[in-house]
Amino acid sequence: MPEISTTKREREIMRHALGLSSKDSSYRNYFSTGPESDDYEVCQGLVEKGLMTVRKLPFCNNFLYYVTDAGKAELN
């Protein structure tokens, strides 16, 4: 599998999505953001790299992003 290059901000977002920002073990897997946020473009880039998946939230302009197994492996 080819190595995927990630930025510090991309790793921070994936860690936050997994609840690893202040803990050593994951207790969730989601990150919510929308087009008006700076995080939106970062998350979209992670989807393009295959490190996150995304689904649109109903009734609002936000999306939920989930870290894939490849994204989890990138953090190890």
Short mmCIF file of all heavy atoms in Angstrom, two decimals:
data_model
loop_
_atom_site.label_atom_id
_atom_site.label_comp_id
_atom_site.label_asym_id
_atom_site.label_seq_id
_atom_site.Cartn_x
_atom_site.Cartn_y
_atom_site.Cartn_z
N MET A 1 0.85 -1.18 0.00
CA MET A 1 0.00 0.00 0.00
C MET A 1 0.89 1.24 0.00
O MET A 1 1.78 1.37 0.83
CB MET A 1 -0.91 -0.03 1.22
CG MET A 1 -1.74 1.22 1.39
SD MET A 1 -2.75 1.14 2.88
CE MET A 1 -4.32 1.40 2.13
N PRO A 2 0.67 2.19 -0.91
CA PRO A 2 1.50 3.39 -0.95
C PRO A 2 1.30 4.26 0.29
O PRO A 2 0.21 4.31 0.86
CB PRO A 2 1.04 4.13 -2.20
CG PRO A 2 -0.22 3.49 -2.64
CD PRO A 2 -0.34 2.18 -1.95
N GLU A 3 2.36 4.93 0.70
CA GLU A 3 2.27 5.80 1.87
C GLU A 3 1.47 7.05 1.53
O GLU A 3 1.61 7.63 0.47
CB GLU A 3 3.68 6.19 2.31
CG GLU A 3 3.71 6.93 3.61
CD GLU A 3 5.13 7.19 4.08
OE1 GLU A 3 5.97 6.31 3.94
OE2 GLU A 3 5.36 8.30 4.57
N ILE A 4 0.62 7.45 2.45
CA ILE A 4 -0.21 8.64 2.27
C ILE A 4 0.38 9.74 3.15
O ILE A 4 0.65 9.54 4.32
CB ILE A 4 -1.67 8.37 2.68
CG1 ILE A 4 -2.26 7.29 1.80
CG2 ILE A 4 -2.50 9.65 2.60
CD1 ILE A 4 -3.63 6.83 2.24
N SER A 5 0.58 10.90 2.56
CA SER A 5 1.12 12.04 3.30
C SER A 5 -0.03 12.82 3.95
O SER A 5 -1.02 13.14 3.30
CB SER A 5 1.88 12.95 2.34
OG SER A 5 2.30 14.11 3.01
N THR A 6 0.10 13.08 5.25
CA THR A 6 -0.92 13.87 5.95
C THR A 6 -0.26 15.04 6.66
O THR A 6 0.88 14.97 7.09
CB THR A 6 -1.68 13.03 6.99
OG1 THR A 6 -0.75 12.43 7.90
CG2 THR A 6 -2.52 11.95 6.34
N THR A 7 -1.03 16.11 6.79
CA THR A 7 -0.55 17.29 7.50
C THR A 7 -0.85 17.16 8.98
O THR A 7 -1.64 16.31 9.41
CB THR A 7 -1.24 18.56 6.97
OG1 THR A 7 -2.63 18.50 7.31
CG2 THR A 7 -1.06 18.71 5.46
N LYS A 8 -0.25 18.05 9.75
CA LYS A 8 -0.52 18.07 11.19
C LYS A 8 -2.00 18.31 11.45
O LYS A 8 -2.61 17.67 12.29
CB LYS A 8 0.33 19.16 11.86
CG LYS A 8 0.11 19.27 13.34
CD LYS A 8 0.94 20.38 13.97
CE LYS A 8 0.64 20.47 15.45
NZ LYS A 8 1.28 21.64 16.06
N ARG A 9 -2.61 19.24 10.71
CA ARG A 9 -4.04 19.56 10.90
C ARG A 9 -4.92 18.36 10.55
O ARG A 9 -5.91 18.09 11.23
CB ARG A 9 -4.46 20.79 10.07
CG ARG A 9 -5.88 21.20 10.32
CD ARG A 9 -6.08 21.65 11.76
NE ARG A 9 -7.49 21.91 12.02
CZ ARG A 9 -8.11 21.57 13.14
NH1 ARG A 9 -7.45 21.01 14.13
NH2 ARG A 9 -9.38 21.83 13.29
N GLU A 10 -4.58 17.64 9.48
CA GLU A 10 -5.36 16.44 9.11
C GLU A 10 -5.30 15.41 10.23
O GLU A 10 -6.33 14.83 10.60
CB GLU A 10 -4.82 15.85 7.81
CG GLU A 10 -5.15 16.68 6.59
CD GLU A 10 -4.48 16.18 5.34
OE1 GLU A 10 -3.34 15.65 5.43
OE2 GLU A 10 -5.07 16.30 4.26
N ARG A 11 -4.13 15.19 10.79
CA ARG A 11 -3.99 14.22 11.90
C ARG A 11 -4.77 14.70 13.13
O ARG A 11 -5.40 13.92 13.82
CB ARG A 11 -2.52 13.98 12.21
CG ARG A 11 -1.81 13.17 11.12
CD ARG A 11 -0.40 12.78 11.51
NE ARG A 11 0.47 13.92 11.79
CZ ARG A 11 1.11 14.63 10.87
NH1 ARG A 11 0.98 14.32 9.59
NH2 ARG A 11 1.87 15.65 11.22
N GLU A 12 -4.73 16.01 13.40
CA GLU A 12 -5.49 16.56 14.54
C GLU A 12 -6.98 16.31 14.37
O GLU A 12 -7.66 15.92 15.32
CB GLU A 12 -5.24 18.06 14.66
CG GLU A 12 -3.88 18.43 15.17
CD GLU A 12 -3.60 19.93 15.10
OE1 GLU A 12 -4.37 20.68 14.47
OE2 GLU A 12 -2.57 20.33 15.67
N ILE A 13 -7.51 16.52 13.18
CA ILE A 13 -8.94 16.31 12.93
C ILE A 13 -9.29 14.83 13.08
O ILE A 13 -10.30 14.50 13.70
CB ILE A 13 -9.34 16.85 11.54
CG1 ILE A 13 -9.38 18.38 11.61
CG2 ILE A 13 -10.68 16.28 11.09
CD1 ILE A 13 -9.63 19.07 10.29
N MET A 14 -8.47 13.93 12.54
CA MET A 14 -8.77 12.50 12.68
C MET A 14 -8.69 12.08 14.14
O MET A 14 -9.55 11.33 14.62
CB MET A 14 -7.82 11.67 11.82
CG MET A 14 -8.12 11.78 10.34
SD MET A 14 -7.23 10.58 9.33
CE MET A 14 -5.53 11.09 9.55
N ARG A 15 -7.70 12.57 14.88
CA ARG A 15 -7.60 12.25 16.31
C ARG A 15 -8.82 12.78 17.06
O ARG A 15 -9.38 12.09 17.91
CB ARG A 15 -6.32 12.82 16.91
CG ARG A 15 -5.06 12.07 16.48
CD ARG A 15 -3.80 12.61 17.15
NE ARG A 15 -3.91 12.61 18.61
CZ ARG A 15 -3.72 11.55 19.40
NH1 ARG A 15 -3.43 10.38 18.87
NH2 ARG A 15 -3.83 11.65 20.70
N HIS A 16 -9.24 14.00 16.76
CA HIS A 16 -10.42 14.58 17.40
C HIS A 16 -11.67 13.76 17.08
O HIS A 16 -12.49 13.49 17.96
CB HIS A 16 -10.60 16.03 16.96
CG HIS A 16 -11.77 16.69 17.59
ND1 HIS A 16 -11.75 17.16 18.88
CD2 HIS A 16 -13.01 16.95 17.12
CE1 HIS A 16 -12.93 17.68 19.17
NE2 HIS A 16 -13.72 17.57 18.12
N ALA A 17 -11.82 13.35 15.81
CA ALA A 17 -12.97 12.54 15.41
C ALA A 17 -13.03 11.24 16.21
O ALA A 17 -14.12 10.77 16.55
CB ALA A 17 -12.91 12.23 13.91
N LEU A 18 -11.88 10.69 16.51
CA LEU A 18 -11.82 9.42 17.25
C LEU A 18 -11.83 9.63 18.77
O LEU A 18 -11.79 8.67 19.53
CB LEU A 18 -10.57 8.64 16.85
CG LEU A 18 -10.57 8.14 15.41
CD1 LEU A 18 -9.20 7.60 15.03
CD2 LEU A 18 -11.65 7.10 15.19
N GLY A 19 -11.86 10.88 19.20
CA GLY A 19 -11.84 11.15 20.63
C GLY A 19 -10.48 10.97 21.25
O GLY A 19 -10.37 10.75 22.46
N LEU A 20 -9.44 11.06 20.44
CA LEU A 20 -8.08 10.85 20.94
C LEU A 20 -7.39 12.15 21.33
O LEU A 20 -6.23 12.14 21.69
CB LEU A 20 -7.23 10.14 19.87
CG LEU A 20 -7.69 8.74 19.50
CD1 LEU A 20 -6.88 8.22 18.31
CD2 LEU A 20 -7.55 7.80 20.68
N SER A 21 -8.08 13.25 21.29
CA SER A 21 -7.47 14.54 21.61
C SER A 21 -6.97 14.60 23.05
O SER A 21 -5.94 15.18 23.33
CB SER A 21 -8.46 15.68 21.37
OG SER A 21 -8.82 15.73 20.02
N SER A 22 -7.69 13.97 23.95
CA SER A 22 -7.28 14.02 25.35
C SER A 22 -7.24 12.63 25.99
O SER A 22 -7.00 12.52 27.18
CB SER A 22 -8.24 14.91 26.15
OG SER A 22 -9.55 14.37 26.10
N LYS A 23 -7.44 11.61 25.20
CA LYS A 23 -7.45 10.23 25.73
C LYS A 23 -6.55 9.37 24.86
O LYS A 23 -6.25 9.70 23.73
CB LYS A 23 -8.86 9.67 25.72
CG LYS A 23 -9.82 10.43 26.61
CD LYS A 23 -11.17 9.73 26.64
CE LYS A 23 -12.17 10.47 27.46
NZ LYS A 23 -11.94 10.52 28.86
N ASP A 24 -6.14 8.22 25.41
CA ASP A 24 -5.29 7.30 24.66
C ASP A 24 -6.09 6.27 23.86
O ASP A 24 -5.55 5.62 22.99
CB ASP A 24 -4.35 6.56 25.61
CG ASP A 24 -3.29 7.50 26.18
OD1 ASP A 24 -2.93 8.48 25.50
OD2 ASP A 24 -2.82 7.24 27.30
N SER A 25 -7.38 6.11 24.18
CA SER A 25 -8.19 5.14 23.45
C SER A 25 -9.41 5.84 22.84
O SER A 25 -9.96 6.77 23.41
CB SER A 25 -8.63 4.00 24.36
OG SER A 25 -9.39 4.49 25.43
N SER A 26 -9.80 5.36 21.68
CA SER A 26 -10.91 5.96 20.95
C SER A 26 -12.25 5.63 21.62
O SER A 26 -12.47 4.50 22.05
CB SER A 26 -10.91 5.43 19.51
OG SER A 26 -12.01 5.93 18.81
N TYR A 27 -13.12 6.61 21.69
CA TYR A 27 -14.45 6.36 22.23
C TYR A 27 -15.56 6.85 21.31
O TYR A 27 -16.73 6.80 21.65
CB TYR A 27 -14.60 7.00 23.62
CG TYR A 27 -14.56 8.51 23.64
CD1 TYR A 27 -15.73 9.25 23.58
CD2 TYR A 27 -13.35 9.19 23.70
CE1 TYR A 27 -15.70 10.64 23.58
CE2 TYR A 27 -13.31 10.57 23.71
CZ TYR A 27 -14.49 11.29 23.65
OH TYR A 27 -14.45 12.65 23.66
N ARG A 28 -15.19 7.33 20.11
CA ARG A 28 -16.19 7.74 19.13
C ARG A 28 -15.53 7.71 17.75
O ARG A 28 -14.35 7.44 17.63
CB ARG A 28 -16.72 9.15 19.44
CG ARG A 28 -15.66 10.22 19.30
CD ARG A 28 -16.23 11.60 19.46
NE ARG A 28 -15.16 12.56 19.28
CZ ARG A 28 -14.94 13.60 20.05
NH1 ARG A 28 -15.73 13.83 21.07
NH2 ARG A 28 -13.96 14.44 19.80
N ASN A 29 -16.32 8.01 16.72
CA ASN A 29 -15.76 8.14 15.37
C ASN A 29 -16.67 9.04 14.55
O ASN A 29 -17.47 8.57 13.75
CB ASN A 29 -15.57 6.79 14.69
CG ASN A 29 -14.84 6.93 13.37
OD1 ASN A 29 -14.55 8.02 12.91
ND2 ASN A 29 -14.55 5.81 12.75
N TYR A 30 -16.57 10.34 14.76
CA TYR A 30 -17.29 11.30 13.92
C TYR A 30 -16.72 12.69 14.11
O TYR A 30 -16.13 13.00 15.15
CB TYR A 30 -18.80 11.31 14.24
CG TYR A 30 -19.12 11.74 15.64
CD1 TYR A 30 -19.31 13.08 15.94
CD2 TYR A 30 -19.25 10.81 16.66
CE1 TYR A 30 -19.60 13.48 17.23
CE2 TYR A 30 -19.54 11.20 17.95
CZ TYR A 30 -19.71 12.55 18.23
OH TYR A 30 -20.00 12.95 19.51
N PHE A 31 -16.87 13.50 13.09
CA PHE A 31 -16.46 14.90 13.11
C PHE A 31 -17.47 15.65 12.27
O PHE A 31 -17.68 15.32 11.11
CB PHE A 31 -15.05 15.05 12.53
CG PHE A 31 -14.48 16.43 12.65
CD1 PHE A 31 -13.74 16.80 13.77
CD2 PHE A 31 -14.67 17.37 11.65
CE1 PHE A 31 -13.20 18.07 13.88
CE2 PHE A 31 -14.13 18.65 11.76
CZ PHE A 31 -13.40 18.99 12.88
N SER A 32 -18.11 16.66 12.84
CA SER A 32 -19.13 17.42 12.13
C SER A 32 -18.59 18.78 11.72
O SER A 32 -17.99 19.48 12.54
CB SER A 32 -20.36 17.60 13.02
OG SER A 32 -21.34 18.36 12.34
N THR A 33 -18.80 19.14 10.46
CA THR A 33 -18.41 20.45 9.96
C THR A 33 -19.23 20.76 8.72
O THR A 33 -19.90 19.88 8.17
CB THR A 33 -16.90 20.52 9.68
OG1 THR A 33 -16.53 21.88 9.45
CG2 THR A 33 -16.49 19.67 8.50
N GLY A 34 -19.17 22.02 8.29
CA GLY A 34 -19.90 22.44 7.11
C GLY A 34 -19.06 23.35 6.23
O GLY A 34 -17.95 23.73 6.60
N PRO A 35 -19.57 23.69 5.06
CA PRO A 35 -18.82 24.47 4.08
C PRO A 35 -18.31 25.83 4.59
O PRO A 35 -17.34 26.36 4.06
CB PRO A 35 -19.81 24.66 2.93
CG PRO A 35 -20.77 23.55 3.07
CD PRO A 35 -20.86 23.27 4.55
N GLU A 36 -18.95 26.39 5.61
CA GLU A 36 -18.51 27.69 6.10
C GLU A 36 -17.33 27.59 7.06
O GLU A 36 -16.78 28.61 7.48
CB GLU A 36 -19.65 28.48 6.72
CG GLU A 36 -20.51 27.81 7.75
CD GLU A 36 -21.40 26.67 7.27
OE1 GLU A 36 -22.01 26.72 6.19
OE2 GLU A 36 -21.45 25.69 8.01
N SER A 37 -16.88 26.39 7.39
CA SER A 37 -15.77 26.18 8.32
C SER A 37 -14.47 25.88 7.56
O SER A 37 -14.48 25.24 6.51
CB SER A 37 -16.10 24.99 9.23
OG SER A 37 -14.96 24.61 9.97
N ASP A 38 -13.35 26.31 8.13
CA ASP A 38 -12.04 25.99 7.55
C ASP A 38 -11.77 24.49 7.57
O ASP A 38 -11.03 23.98 6.74
CB ASP A 38 -10.93 26.72 8.31
CG ASP A 38 -10.98 28.22 8.15
OD1 ASP A 38 -11.56 28.70 7.15
OD2 ASP A 38 -10.44 28.92 9.02
N ASP A 39 -12.35 23.77 8.54
CA ASP A 39 -12.15 22.33 8.65
C ASP A 39 -12.80 21.55 7.51
O ASP A 39 -12.41 20.42 7.21
CB ASP A 39 -12.70 21.80 9.98
CG ASP A 39 -11.95 22.36 11.17
OD1 ASP A 39 -10.75 22.67 11.03
OD2 ASP A 39 -12.55 22.46 12.25
N TYR A 40 -13.79 22.14 6.87
CA TYR A 40 -14.52 21.45 5.80
C TYR A 40 -13.59 21.02 4.67
O TYR A 40 -13.62 19.86 4.24
CB TYR A 40 -15.63 22.37 5.27
CG TYR A 40 -16.39 21.81 4.09
CD1 TYR A 40 -17.33 20.81 4.26
CD2 TYR A 40 -16.16 22.28 2.81
CE1 TYR A 40 -18.03 20.30 3.19
CE2 TYR A 40 -16.85 21.78 1.72
CZ TYR A 40 -17.79 20.78 1.92
OH TYR A 40 -18.48 20.27 0.86
N GLU A 41 -12.76 21.91 4.17
CA GLU A 41 -11.85 21.58 3.07
C GLU A 41 -10.83 20.52 3.50
O GLU A 41 -10.47 19.65 2.71
CB GLU A 41 -11.13 22.83 2.55
CG GLU A 41 -12.04 23.79 1.83
CD GLU A 41 -12.68 23.20 0.58
OE1 GLU A 41 -12.05 22.37 -0.11
OE2 GLU A 41 -13.84 23.56 0.30
N VAL A 42 -10.38 20.60 4.75
CA VAL A 42 -9.43 19.60 5.26
C VAL A 42 -10.10 18.23 5.27
O VAL A 42 -9.52 17.23 4.82
CB VAL A 42 -8.93 19.98 6.67
CG1 VAL A 42 -8.00 18.90 7.22
CG2 VAL A 42 -8.23 21.33 6.65
N CYS A 43 -11.33 18.17 5.76
CA CYS A 43 -12.06 16.89 5.81
C CYS A 43 -12.33 16.36 4.40
O CYS A 43 -12.21 15.16 4.16
CB CYS A 43 -13.37 17.06 6.58
SG CYS A 43 -13.13 17.28 8.35
N GLN A 44 -12.69 17.24 3.49
CA GLN A 44 -12.92 16.80 2.10
C GLN A 44 -11.64 16.20 1.52
O GLN A 44 -11.68 15.21 0.80
CB GLN A 44 -13.41 17.97 1.25
CG GLN A 44 -14.85 18.35 1.51
CD GLN A 44 -15.82 17.24 1.17
OE1 GLN A 44 -16.40 16.62 2.07
NE2 GLN A 44 -16.00 16.95 -0.09
N GLY A 45 -10.50 16.79 1.83
CA GLY A 45 -9.22 16.25 1.38
C GLY A 45 -8.96 14.88 1.97
O GLY A 45 -8.42 13.99 1.29
N LEU A 46 -9.33 14.68 3.23
CA LEU A 46 -9.16 13.36 3.87
C LEU A 46 -10.06 12.32 3.21
O LEU A 46 -9.66 11.15 3.07
CB LEU A 46 -9.43 13.47 5.37
CG LEU A 46 -8.34 14.20 6.17
CD1 LEU A 46 -8.85 14.58 7.55
CD2 LEU A 46 -7.10 13.33 6.27
N VAL A 47 -11.25 12.72 2.78
CA VAL A 47 -12.13 11.81 2.05
C VAL A 47 -11.47 11.42 0.73
O VAL A 47 -11.44 10.23 0.36
CB VAL A 47 -13.52 12.45 1.81
CG1 VAL A 47 -14.35 11.61 0.85
CG2 VAL A 47 -14.25 12.63 3.13
N GLU A 48 -10.92 12.38 0.01
CA GLU A 48 -10.25 12.11 -1.26
C GLU A 48 -9.06 11.17 -1.09
O GLU A 48 -8.77 10.37 -1.97
CB GLU A 48 -9.80 13.41 -1.91
CG GLU A 48 -10.95 14.26 -2.40
CD GLU A 48 -10.52 15.64 -2.88
OE1 GLU A 48 -9.31 15.86 -3.10
OE2 GLU A 48 -11.41 16.50 -3.03
N LYS A 49 -8.40 11.24 0.05
CA LYS A 49 -7.26 10.36 0.34
C LYS A 49 -7.70 8.98 0.84
O LYS A 49 -6.88 8.10 1.05
CB LYS A 49 -6.35 10.99 1.39
CG LYS A 49 -5.62 12.22 0.92
CD LYS A 49 -4.77 12.81 2.03
CE LYS A 49 -4.02 14.04 1.57
NZ LYS A 49 -3.13 14.57 2.63
N GLY A 50 -9.01 8.81 1.10
CA GLY A 50 -9.52 7.55 1.61
C GLY A 50 -9.34 7.37 3.10
O GLY A 50 -9.50 6.27 3.62
N LEU A 51 -9.04 8.47 3.80
CA LEU A 51 -8.81 8.39 5.24
C LEU A 51 -10.05 8.69 6.06
O LEU A 51 -10.09 8.42 7.26
CB LEU A 51 -7.67 9.34 5.63
CG LEU A 51 -6.33 9.05 4.93
CD1 LEU A 51 -5.29 10.09 5.33
CD2 LEU A 51 -5.84 7.65 5.22
N MET A 52 -11.06 9.27 5.41
CA MET A 52 -12.36 9.52 6.05
C MET A 52 -13.46 9.25 5.03
O MET A 52 -13.21 9.28 3.82
CB MET A 52 -12.48 10.96 6.56
CG MET A 52 -11.56 11.32 7.70
SD MET A 52 -11.88 12.98 8.39
CE MET A 52 -12.80 12.52 9.86
N THR A 53 -14.65 8.98 5.54
CA THR A 53 -15.85 8.91 4.71
C THR A 53 -16.78 10.02 5.19
O THR A 53 -16.56 10.60 6.25
CB THR A 53 -16.57 7.55 4.81
OG1 THR A 53 -16.94 7.32 6.17
CG2 THR A 53 -15.67 6.42 4.31
N VAL A 54 -17.83 10.31 4.42
CA VAL A 54 -18.69 11.44 4.76
C VAL A 54 -20.14 11.12 4.44
O VAL A 54 -20.43 10.33 3.54
CB VAL A 54 -18.25 12.72 4.00
CG1 VAL A 54 -18.36 12.55 2.51
CG2 VAL A 54 -19.03 13.94 4.48
N ARG A 55 -21.04 11.71 5.22
CA ARG A 55 -22.46 11.69 4.88
C ARG A 55 -23.06 13.03 5.26
O ARG A 55 -22.64 13.68 6.22
CB ARG A 55 -23.19 10.54 5.54
CG ARG A 55 -23.53 10.70 6.96
CD ARG A 55 -24.34 9.50 7.48
NE ARG A 55 -24.58 9.65 8.89
CZ ARG A 55 -25.70 10.10 9.42
NH1 ARG A 55 -26.72 10.42 8.66
NH2 ARG A 55 -25.83 10.21 10.72
N LYS A 56 -24.03 13.47 4.49
CA LYS A 56 -24.73 14.74 4.70
C LYS A 56 -25.73 14.58 5.82
O LYS A 56 -26.45 13.59 5.89
CB LYS A 56 -25.44 15.15 3.40
CG LYS A 56 -26.29 16.39 3.50
CD LYS A 56 -25.46 17.64 3.37
CE LYS A 56 -26.28 18.90 3.25
NZ LYS A 56 -26.83 19.41 4.47
N LEU A 57 -25.75 15.54 6.72
CA LEU A 57 -26.76 15.55 7.77
C LEU A 57 -28.07 16.13 7.22
O LEU A 57 -28.04 17.14 6.51
CB LEU A 57 -26.30 16.39 8.96
CG LEU A 57 -25.18 15.78 9.79
CD1 LEU A 57 -24.66 16.79 10.81
CD2 LEU A 57 -25.65 14.54 10.49
N PRO A 58 -29.20 15.52 7.53
CA PRO A 58 -30.47 16.06 7.05
C PRO A 58 -30.82 17.35 7.78
O PRO A 58 -30.43 17.56 8.93
CB PRO A 58 -31.47 14.95 7.37
CG PRO A 58 -30.86 14.18 8.49
CD PRO A 58 -29.36 14.30 8.32
N PHE A 59 -31.53 18.20 7.10
CA PHE A 59 -32.10 19.41 7.70
C PHE A 59 -31.07 20.47 8.13
O PHE A 59 -31.41 21.36 8.89
CB PHE A 59 -33.01 19.08 8.89
CG PHE A 59 -34.02 18.03 8.57
CD1 PHE A 59 -33.96 16.79 9.17
CD2 PHE A 59 -35.03 18.29 7.66
CE1 PHE A 59 -34.90 15.81 8.87
CE2 PHE A 59 -35.97 17.32 7.35
CZ PHE A 59 -35.91 16.09 7.96
N CYS A 60 -29.83 20.35 7.69
CA CYS A 60 -28.84 21.39 7.96
C CYS A 60 -27.76 21.32 6.89
O CYS A 60 -27.78 20.46 6.03
CB CYS A 60 -28.26 21.28 9.36
SG CYS A 60 -27.17 19.88 9.62
N ASN A 61 -26.82 22.23 6.96
CA ASN A 61 -25.78 22.32 5.95
C ASN A 61 -24.49 21.62 6.36
O ASN A 61 -23.45 21.83 5.76
CB ASN A 61 -25.51 23.80 5.64
CG ASN A 61 -24.90 24.00 4.28
OD1 ASN A 61 -25.08 23.19 3.39
ND2 ASN A 61 -24.18 25.08 4.11
N ASN A 62 -24.52 20.81 7.41
CA ASN A 62 -23.32 20.14 7.91
C ASN A 62 -23.21 18.71 7.41
O ASN A 62 -24.18 18.11 6.94
CB ASN A 62 -23.28 20.15 9.43
CG ASN A 62 -22.76 21.44 9.98
OD1 ASN A 62 -22.55 22.41 9.25
ND2 ASN A 62 -22.55 21.49 11.28
N PHE A 63 -22.01 18.18 7.57
CA PHE A 63 -21.68 16.82 7.18
C PHE A 63 -21.04 16.12 8.36
O PHE A 63 -20.40 16.76 9.20
CB PHE A 63 -20.68 16.83 6.01
CG PHE A 63 -21.23 17.45 4.76
CD1 PHE A 63 -21.23 18.82 4.59
CD2 PHE A 63 -21.75 16.66 3.75
CE1 PHE A 63 -21.74 19.40 3.44
CE2 PHE A 63 -22.25 17.22 2.60
CZ PHE A 63 -22.25 18.59 2.44
N LEU A 64 -21.20 14.80 8.43
CA LEU A 64 -20.50 13.98 9.42
C LEU A 64 -19.41 13.21 8.70
O LEU A 64 -19.66 12.55 7.70
CB LEU A 64 -21.44 12.99 10.11
CG LEU A 64 -22.21 13.48 11.31
CD1 LEU A 64 -23.04 12.34 11.90
CD2 LEU A 64 -21.32 14.07 12.38
N TYR A 65 -18.20 13.30 9.23
CA TYR A 65 -17.04 12.61 8.67
C TYR A 65 -16.63 11.50 9.64
O TYR A 65 -16.66 11.70 10.86
CB TYR A 65 -15.89 13.59 8.49
CG TYR A 65 -16.17 14.61 7.42
CD1 TYR A 65 -16.87 15.77 7.70
CD2 TYR A 65 -15.76 14.39 6.11
CE1 TYR A 65 -17.15 16.70 6.73
CE2 TYR A 65 -16.04 15.31 5.12
CZ TYR A 65 -16.73 16.46 5.43
OH TYR A 65 -17.02 17.37 4.46
N TYR A 66 -16.25 10.37 9.09
CA TYR A 66 -15.85 9.20 9.88
C TYR A 66 -14.46 8.75 9.43
O TYR A 66 -14.19 8.66 8.24
CB TYR A 66 -16.83 8.04 9.67
CG TYR A 66 -18.26 8.41 9.95
CD1 TYR A 66 -19.09 8.86 8.94
CD2 TYR A 66 -18.77 8.32 11.24
CE1 TYR A 66 -20.41 9.22 9.18
CE2 TYR A 66 -20.10 8.67 11.50
CZ TYR A 66 -20.90 9.12 10.47
OH TYR A 66 -22.20 9.47 10.72
N VAL A 67 -13.59 8.44 10.38
CA VAL A 67 -12.25 7.97 10.06
C VAL A 67 -12.34 6.52 9.60
O VAL A 67 -12.97 5.68 10.24
CB VAL A 67 -11.32 8.08 11.30
CG1 VAL A 67 -9.92 7.61 10.96
CG2 VAL A 67 -11.30 9.51 11.83
N THR A 68 -11.71 6.23 8.46
CA THR A 68 -11.70 4.87 7.93
C THR A 68 -10.59 4.05 8.62
O THR A 68 -9.77 4.60 9.36
CB THR A 68 -11.41 4.88 6.42
OG1 THR A 68 -10.10 5.43 6.20
CG2 THR A 68 -12.46 5.69 5.64
N ASP A 69 -10.55 2.76 8.34
CA ASP A 69 -9.48 1.92 8.87
C ASP A 69 -8.11 2.43 8.38
O ASP A 69 -7.14 2.41 9.13
CB ASP A 69 -9.68 0.46 8.46
CG ASP A 69 -10.83 -0.20 9.21
OD1 ASP A 69 -11.24 0.33 10.28
OD2 ASP A 69 -11.34 -1.23 8.75
N ALA A 70 -8.06 2.90 7.13
CA ALA A 70 -6.81 3.45 6.60
C ALA A 70 -6.41 4.71 7.37
O ALA A 70 -5.23 4.94 7.65
CB ALA A 70 -6.95 3.77 5.11
N GLY A 71 -7.39 5.53 7.75
CA GLY A 71 -7.12 6.72 8.55
C GLY A 71 -6.61 6.36 9.93
O GLY A 71 -5.68 6.96 10.45
N LYS A 72 -7.21 5.34 10.54
CA LYS A 72 -6.76 4.88 11.85
C LYS A 72 -5.33 4.37 11.77
O LYS A 72 -4.50 4.65 12.65
CB LYS A 72 -7.68 3.79 12.39
CG LYS A 72 -9.07 4.30 12.72
CD LYS A 72 -9.99 3.16 13.09
CE LYS A 72 -11.42 3.66 13.27
NZ LYS A 72 -12.36 2.54 13.51
N ALA A 73 -5.02 3.63 10.71
CA ALA A 73 -3.67 3.11 10.53
C ALA A 73 -2.66 4.25 10.35
O ALA A 73 -1.52 4.16 10.82
CB ALA A 73 -3.62 2.17 9.33
N GLU A 74 -3.09 5.31 9.69
CA GLU A 74 -2.20 6.47 9.48
C GLU A 74 -1.83 7.13 10.80
O GLU A 74 -0.75 7.70 10.92
CB GLU A 74 -2.93 7.49 8.57
CG GLU A 74 -2.14 8.71 8.26
CD GLU A 74 -0.92 8.48 7.39
OE1 GLU A 74 -0.86 7.45 6.68
OE2 GLU A 74 -0.01 9.31 7.43
N LEU A 75 -2.68 7.03 11.79
CA LEU A 75 -2.40 7.65 13.10
C LEU A 75 -1.49 6.81 13.97
O LEU A 75 -0.95 7.29 14.96
CB LEU A 75 -3.72 7.92 13.85
CG LEU A 75 -4.63 8.95 13.21
CD1 LEU A 75 -5.96 9.02 13.96
CD2 LEU A 75 -3.96 10.31 13.16
N ASN A 76 -1.31 5.55 13.61
CA ASN A 76 -0.43 4.66 14.42
C ASN A 76 1.01 4.78 14.03
O ASN A 76 1.42 5.22 13.06
CB ASN A 76 -0.87 3.21 14.28
CG ASN A 76 -2.22 2.99 14.95
OD1 ASN A 76 -2.52 3.65 15.93
ND2 ASN A 76 -3.01 2.10 14.42
#
